[in-house]
Amino acid sequence: DTAVSQTPKYLVTQMGNDKSIKCEQNLGHDTMYWYKQDSKKFLKIMFSYNNKELIINETVPNRFSPKSPDKAHLNLHINSLELGDSAVYFCASSQGALFTDTQYFGPGTRLTVL
Amino acid sequence: AQTVTQSQPEMSVQEAETVTLSCTYDTSESDYYLFWYKQPPSRQMILVIRQEAYKQQNATENRFSVNFQKAAKSFSLKISDSQLGDAAMYFCAYRLPYSGNTPLVFGKGTRLSVIA
């Protein structure tokens, strides 16, 4: 059983398009995250939701909008895609928002903007 | 700014040998969690081991162990009896215990190759 799943795994699109990446976790966790891994493999937090409420919003362009319809899902919508958005995007979840709660990562979505 | 530094971009080890990956971090906090994550070619991020800063005893998970030196702010990962499946990117990370939520802060990773 997949604990944290993301769709799609690969996404190739043109500049200026709007796209979404979906994330679902079946662990019963309350907290979910989006991370971005750039071409140099550097991983950085983008957003975090706890019980469907946004609790971390790092310096991310407004073109990125997370949506959490319920605790098990955290989707990432990106408007007006730019070349610099090309990266691997990881969803993660944890039992709660405490620093002691281990985060479990999804398989990643490789986004390529042409 | 809180930072995590992995000074070895690449490492290699012979199969069945032992390798140590280094990690240092910078924080003024006294309690926090430290992690090592593994990212194989499949891209999945897999938790290898974690350590809470107030615990003196070094964490161990089968062939993986850490050498946590709090005063030196060092958190190295030792892999014993290396296997081909250990080949991956390894990321060191920490998380601070502020109220609300705090993100994982990652280092830039070390690529480990295992030579048969």
Side-chain angles (χ1 to χ4, degrees):
Chain A
D1 286 343
T2 305
V4 182
S5 60
Q6 296 178 228
T7 53
K9 279 195 172 179
Y10 299 93
L11 184 54
V12 181
T13 188
Q14 299 285 336
M15 260 174 46
N17 284 349
D18 302 338
K19 291 293 178 186
S20 292
I21 306 172
K22 296 185 177 180
C23 177
E24 177 180 3
Q25 53 95 3
N26 62 6
L27 297 166
H29 288 170
D30 287 340
T31 309
M32 296 184 73
Y33 311 79
W34 277 109
Y35 287 85
K36 179 181 179 180
Q37 186 176 41
D38 62 24
S39 58
K40 295 183 180 177
K41 301 291 187 183
F42 189 52
L43 260 164
K44 193 171 180 189
I45 185 75
M46 299 174 69
F47 303 102
S48 176
Y49 271 71
N50 188 48
N51 281 316
K52 303 196 303 177
E53 182 183 337
L54 181 66
I55 53 175
I56 291 179
N57 184 356
E58 293 294 300
T59 308
V60 176
N62 291 336
R63 300 180 294 102
F64 290 78
S65 54
K67 293 279 192 304
S68 182
D70 55 58
K71 284 197 319 183
H73 295 85
L74 180 61
N75 303 323
L76 183 65
H77 188 76
I78 315 170
N79 289 326
S80 304
L81 278 155
E82 300 177 358
L83 293 177
D85 298 333
S86 294
V88 180
Y89 292 84
F90 285 94
C91 178
S93 73
S94 60
Q95 181 64 55
L98 298 176
F99 80 116
T100 50
D101 291 315
T102 298
Q103 294 182 24
Y104 296 88
F105 284 76
T109 296
R110 180 180 292 280
L111 171 65
T112 303
V113 182
L114 303 175
Chain B
Q2 317 286 356
T3 57
V4 176
T5 302
Q6 294 178 247
S7 58
Q8 307 149 315
E10 294 185 3
M11 293 278 287
S12 61
V13 62
Q14 289 285 142
E15 202 175 359
E17 297 294 310
T18 296
V19 65
T20 299
L21 309 184
S22 66
C23 173
T24 58
Y25 55 93
D26 180 24
T27 181
S28 56
E29 297 294 326
S30 59
D31 198 16
Y32 41 87
Y33 250 105
L34 294 163
F35 304 84
W36 277 98
Y37 278 88
K38 170 185 176 181
Q39 186 179 39
S42 66
R43 293 204 318 263
Q44 185 99 20
M45 290 288 286
I46 302 164
L47 178 66
V48 175
I49 199 166
R50 68 178 191 176
Q51 170 95 35
E52 189 154 8
Y54 74 80
K55 291 187 176 175
Q56 301 277 1
Q57 190 171 5
N58 288 324
T60 300
E61 287 287 341
N62 301 314
R63 298 182 296 107
F64 297 88
S65 61
V66 298
N67 183 6
F68 174 46
Q69 303 287 331
K70 191 172 183 180
K73 295 180 183 176
S74 169
F75 182 61
S76 59
L77 174 70
K78 186 170 89 170
I79 306 174
S80 304
D81 185 26
S82 297
Q83 299 174 1
L84 294 177
D86 295 334
M89 283 289 289
Y90 285 83
F91 292 93
C92 178
Y94 76 20
R95 196 173 183 193
L96 295 174
Y98 298 133
S99 61
N101 195 3
T102 56
L104 281 167
V105 177
F106 286 91
K108 293 193 174 183
T110 296
R111 183 178 300 281
L112 177 67
S113 302
V114 180
I115 304 162

